[in-house]
Amino acid sequence: HVIIVLGIVGFVVCIVNRVSNYETYSTSTSDSTSSYKHRNWFNSTSTDNFDNEKISYVHSFPIKSESELDFPYNGTRAFIVVAKNTKQTWAYIEFTSQPNLTGGETMDGYDIIKARASIDGVQEIVTFHQTWGSKDLRIEYPTWFIDKLQNCKTFKIQLNWYGNYGTVWTFSGEDFAS
């Protein structure tokens, strides 16, 4: 019984450390630079080690869901990332815990998830791809998403997280600049 209790305590400590790391979120790695450009968003760059190509990012600050997720996902935060290089643009929502979503369509190595979204009160359906084991949800149509984000005040997404049906995440679109 003591080993089980110690294991649970260790697991909780790990989760608390991950959450506190995201509360003081920083992109200060050896190959990237960042600047806090706006109140809700910041920019950073990195270099792809394979082809030496520069990648530019726009990140939202991490947020919690509107209602607390059940254990072991409580404390999970999410942030939007838009990235560009000379060949492509992509966008995704990244979480501090791997999303455990229900209702998706299982493919070979990934899931397709359709989720309800609200962009300044106008409802849309957004399609995501989640590679198995990934902490991010790739947005299927990043150009459409970026156009919407550039012109909105709030972007809400409703996800059916296992055990937490209809979890809502509300991001600010204010000050977004890709």
Side-chain angles (χ1 to χ4, degrees), residues 69-108:
L69 294 170
D70 293 337
F71 180 81
Y73 305 108
N74 48 341
T76 297
R77 296 189 186 279
F79 51 98
I80 296 173
V81 179
V82 174
K84 292 181 183 182
N85 62 20
T86 58
K87 299 177 195 103
Q88 64 182 344
T89 299
W90 60 101
Y92 54 94
I93 299 175
E94 187 165 334
F95 297 87
T96 57
S97 299
Q98 178 185 336
N100 187 1
L101 303 177
T102 62
E105 181 181 346
T106 301
M107 306 303 279
D108 188 19

Side-chain angles (χ1 to χ4, degrees), residues 1 10 35 49 89 94 101 111 128-129 140 147 172 176-177:
H1 294 291
S35 63
N49 292 332
T89 299
E94 187 165 334
L101 303 177
D111 291 329
F128 296 98
H129 293 185
E140 186 172 48
D147 288 344
S172 175
F176 173 78

Side-chain angles (χ1 to χ4, degrees), residues 9-24:
V9 168
F11 180 74
V12 170
V13 167
C14 287
I15 289 174
V16 168
N17 282 337
R18 289 193 82 157
V19 169
S20 67
N21 286 344
Y22 275 89
E23 286 175 350
T24 57

Side-chain angles (χ1 to χ4, degrees), residues 3-142:
I3 293 173
I4 293 171
V5 170
L6 289 175
I8 292 171
V9 168
F11 180 74
V12 170
V13 167
C14 287
I15 289 174
V16 168
N17 282 337
R18 289 193 82 157
V19 169
S20 67
N21 286 344
Y22 275 89
E23 286 175 350
T24 57
Y25 187 76
S26 169
T27 59
S28 59
T29 62
S30 60
D31 68 339
S32 70
T33 59
S34 69
S35 63
Y36 291 88
K37 212 171 175 186
H38 303 290
R39 181 181 62 160
N40 299 306
W41 298 86
F42 67 97
N43 299 333
S44 66
T45 59
S46 69
T47 303
D48 184 316
N49 292 332
F50 183 75
D51 61 9
N52 244 4
E53 185 170 13
K54 180 182 169 186
I55 303 170
S56 299
Y57 301 91
V58 179
H59 308 253
S60 69
F61 283 96
I63 61 161
K64 286 185 175 183
S65 59
E66 289 186 5
S67 58
E68 187 67 38
L69 294 170
D70 293 337
F71 180 81
Y73 305 108
N74 48 341
T76 297
R77 296 189 186 279
F79 51 98
I80 296 173
V81 179
V82 174
K84 292 181 183 182
N85 62 20
T86 58
K87 299 177 195 103
Q88 64 182 344
T89 299
W90 60 101
Y92 54 94
I93 299 175
E94 187 165 334
F95 297 87
T96 57
S97 299
Q98 178 185 336
N100 187 1
L101 303 177
T102 62
E105 181 181 346
T106 301
M107 306 303 279
D108 188 19
Y110 66 96
D111 291 329
I112 297 173
I113 296 130
K114 294 193 183 280
R116 291 178 42 189
S118 173
I119 303 161
D120 287 339
V122 177
Q123 295 208 4
E124 304 266 359
I125 298 294
V126 178
T127 303
F128 296 98
H129 293 185
Q130 181 187 17
T131 302
W132 295 346
S134 176
K135 289 185 178 182
D136 62 59
L137 301 177
R138 294 262 174 164
I139 297 168
E140 186 172 48
Y141 302 106

Side-chain angles (χ1 to χ4, degrees), residues 80 170 174:
I80 296 173
T170 303
E174 292 185 37

Side-chain angles (χ1 to χ4, degrees), residues 156-177:
K156 289 184 177 189
I157 190 78
Q158 183 180 45
L159 298 169
N160 293 326
W161 205 289
Y162 183 80
N164 297 271
Y165 180 82
T167 302
V168 176
W169 304 81
T170 303
F171 299 92
S172 175
E174 292 185 37
D175 304 321
F176 173 78

